[in-house]
Amino acid sequence: MKFSGGAPFDGAAVMANMKRFRKGGGGSAKTLAALRRVTVEDPTHVTLILSAPDPALLFQLSDAAGLMADPAEFAGSSLTTTPAGTGPYELDKTRTAVGNKYVYPRKTGYWGAKLPFETLAISAFDNETAVVNGLKTGQIDTAVLQDTNQQAAIASGIRLKKTDYTFDFQGLLLFDRAGALTPALAKPQVRQAINYDLDRETMLDKLRRGRGELTSQIYGPGTKAYDKALDTYYDHDPAKARKLLAEAGYAKGFTLRLPRAAALVSDALASSIATDLKAVGITVRWDLLDGNSALRKIYRERAYSATVMNNGQNPVDWTATQDLVAPGVFNLFGSTDATVRKLLQRIQTGTATQAARAARALNRHLVEQAWFAPFYRMRYELVTGPDVKARTQSGMAVPSLYDYTPTHA
């Protein structure tokens, strides 16, 4: 096995990649936080020494933490434009237009089993209307559609196969649970009031054409933490919301500034949230931002107390918990309490039975304390043309390359 530049892929390369990933400071660096040391036993074996148990480690090694690049390319900036991996395809820069289309011919002399496609062409679009047109005309073989209007537009395509699936939830991530920026959010009653005030059923019906599943919990049905009863824990009850706000000392409401990137928060969604919260005295002020500045202001500058976000519901309990509950990208202010600390430890170090029980208890605690305000699990649609077969994969928004095969292979 060799990298695309000819250097061998061996234990030393694995060690170099893992050290770089762990120390890189990126949003996923914490997924290797328990990795104390990597020992190279021989060219084809390494031993990972952990400082604590990590129930999600195997999953993380199948994802970002396990991606391998040629260590010889670490020093410069070439990896930003020229991949240097061990995969079955190579980027053809002469046929690639960065930001528009990426072309990958099959690699000559690839070490593994030959994949069925001679060439892959991955096109990027800034709207799904163009994607639907490409699917209908046969210019695109397969795509995943999120927008319900575009899902409806493709419904009449007889030659196309459509597969529905859920991957993530859409909702408000209430980061500021200590009230550093918005003092009102330090009160559990205020966060609960937000949950009771949101009219999830109408949102799903009007904004998503009913294509999805209402939920008040962040954990998906594939996890041990999932409790079907928690999907409907918060019904639409503005009177109860007003009562809770009064108990918290905010009978006259307060102002909540939220970031808005048009690609994520549509006009209709922004209006729905603002209208619902206004009914109980909470005034929403939307800051319209482009995608890049939104990410910077939310996650680097920590300029907002909450944000609307689509979050994947990972099927591995500890991975889902690390993503959303442990301090990090989606727990910007490091929120915690005695119950959360105790249950996190049990999920991480307990037996399978103890971990599952703790995960369910944690889920209920997060819902009761209103750490989040989920709306619904969104229904996606995997669309394939007559020449390609594809299958969805648990925990992935878009199927893996290995989930696609030619129809007549």
Side-chain angles (χ1 to χ4, degrees):
M1 188 187 300
K2 294 182 178 181
F3 289 105
S4 53
F9 173 75
D10 54 19
V14 172
M15 180 174 69
N17 273 274
M18 288 190 171
K19 285 184 175 181
R20 178 174 182 257
F21 185 85
R22 185 185 59 186
K23 296 178 180 179
S28 296
K30 68 177 183 179
T31 61
L32 287 185
L35 181 62
R36 180 193 302 166
R37 187 171 71 254
V38 180
T39 301
V40 179
E41 307 294 348
D42 59 47
T44 57
H45 294 83
V46 298
T47 298
L48 309 185
I49 308 298
L50 307 183
S51 59
D54 185 352
L57 183 61
L58 289 179
F59 176 87
Q60 302 298 358
L61 293 179
S62 76
D63 200 67
L67 299 180
M68 299 283 119
D70 186 350
E73 305 298 329
F74 287 174
S77 60
S78 63
L79 286 176
T80 61
T81 57
T82 306
T86 63
Y89 294 92
E90 291 182 299
L91 179 67
D92 185 342
K93 297 177 74 171
T94 64
R95 291 191 286 167
T96 290
V98 175
N100 182 29
K101 187 175 184 178
Y102 302 82
V103 178
Y104 299 86
R106 184 188 288 149
K107 182 188 293 185
T108 302
Y110 175 60
W111 59 271
K114 185 170 68 173
L115 267 68
F117 300 102
E118 290 187 8
T119 304
L120 298 175
I122 301 176
S123 298
F125 297 89
D126 60 6
N127 69 85
E128 288 193 357
T129 301
V131 176
V132 168
N133 290 335
L135 287 166
K136 286 183 173 181
T137 59
Q139 294 174 292
I140 299 174
D141 288 310
T142 182
V144 170
L145 299 178
Q146 297 185 50
D147 186 271
T148 54
N149 293 323
Q150 300 307 327
Q151 292 174 2
I154 206 75
S156 61
I158 300 175
R159 60 185 288 277
L160 301 172
K161 180 179 179 181
K162 282 82 72 173
T163 303
D164 287 347
Y165 65 103
T166 57
F167 164 74
D168 60 6
F169 74 89
Q170 185 175 67
L172 276 168
L173 305 187
L174 304 175
F175 301 128
D176 191 15
R177 303 173 191 109
L181 299 179
T182 307
L185 291 180
K187 300 281 190 176
Q189 298 98 318
V190 170
R191 303 193 301 267
Q192 292 161 356
I194 291 172
N195 273 275
Y196 277 116
D197 186 51
L198 290 169
D199 188 354
R200 293 172 174 82
E201 190 169 351
T202 298
M203 292 170 70
L204 181 62
D205 180 50
K206 300 300 183 182
L207 303 180
R208 300 281 311 163
R209 297 173 177 249
R211 294 181 61 79
E213 303 161 359
L214 299 178
T215 190
S216 298
Q217 61 189 313
I218 61 169
Y219 290 94
T223 62
K224 300 290 192 303
Y226 177 75
D227 181 348
K228 186 174 177 58
L230 294 179
D231 277 339
T232 53
Y233 185 89
Y234 289 105
D235 56 355
H236 180 48
D237 192 339
K240 191 167 187 176
R242 282 190 285 269
K243 182 180 179 182
L244 286 165
L245 286 171
E247 290 176 2
Y250 290 92
K252 295 183 179 180
F254 62 95
T255 297
L256 179 63
R257 286 181 60 239
L258 295 175
R260 180 186 166 205
L264 183 63
V265 182
S266 66
D267 291 344
L269 178 56
S271 176
S272 177
I273 294 170
T275 300
D276 281 352
L277 296 183
K278 184 65 176 177
V280 296
I282 301 173
T283 300
V284 175
R285 299 284 187 231
W286 291 104
D287 289 352
L288 189 59
L289 307 169
D290 63 58
N292 291 331
S293 63
L295 292 174
R296 184 184 71 252
K297 285 183 172 292
I298 295 168
Y299 296 111
R300 292 185 184 176
E301 299 177 12
R302 302 181 183 181
Y304 295 98
S305 301
T307 189
V308 175
M309 186 58 62
N310 298 359
N311 281 86
Q313 295 189 303
N314 196 288
V316 180
D317 289 78
W318 184 237
T319 301
T321 302
Q322 281 184 309
D323 285 347
L324 287 162
V325 184
V329 175
F330 296 117
N331 185 357
L332 295 180
F333 294 85
S335 305
T336 191
D337 59 40
T339 299
V340 170
R341 287 192 294 270
K342 178 179 68 176
L343 294 174
L344 285 180
Q345 184 177 26
R346 288 182 183 174
I347 298 171
Q348 182 179 11
T349 64
T351 64
T353 300
Q354 291 170 336
R357 188 181 300 121
R360 285 175 67 87
L362 176 64
N363 189 12
R364 177 163 288 278
H365 178 73
L366 297 174
V367 172
E368 290 174 348
Q369 292 296 304
W371 270 39
F372 307 90
F375 310 148
Y376 35 66
R377 288 185 289 273
M378 298 172 62
R379 190 172 300 163
Y380 289 62
E381 193 164 70
L382 172 63
V383 184
T384 53
D387 298 325
V388 174
K389 293 186 295 183
R391 59 181 181 179
T392 59
Q393 186 169 334
S394 178
M396 298 186 70
V398 178
S400 160
L401 173 60
Y402 298 88
D403 292 318
Y404 296 91
T405 54
T407 302
H408 307 294

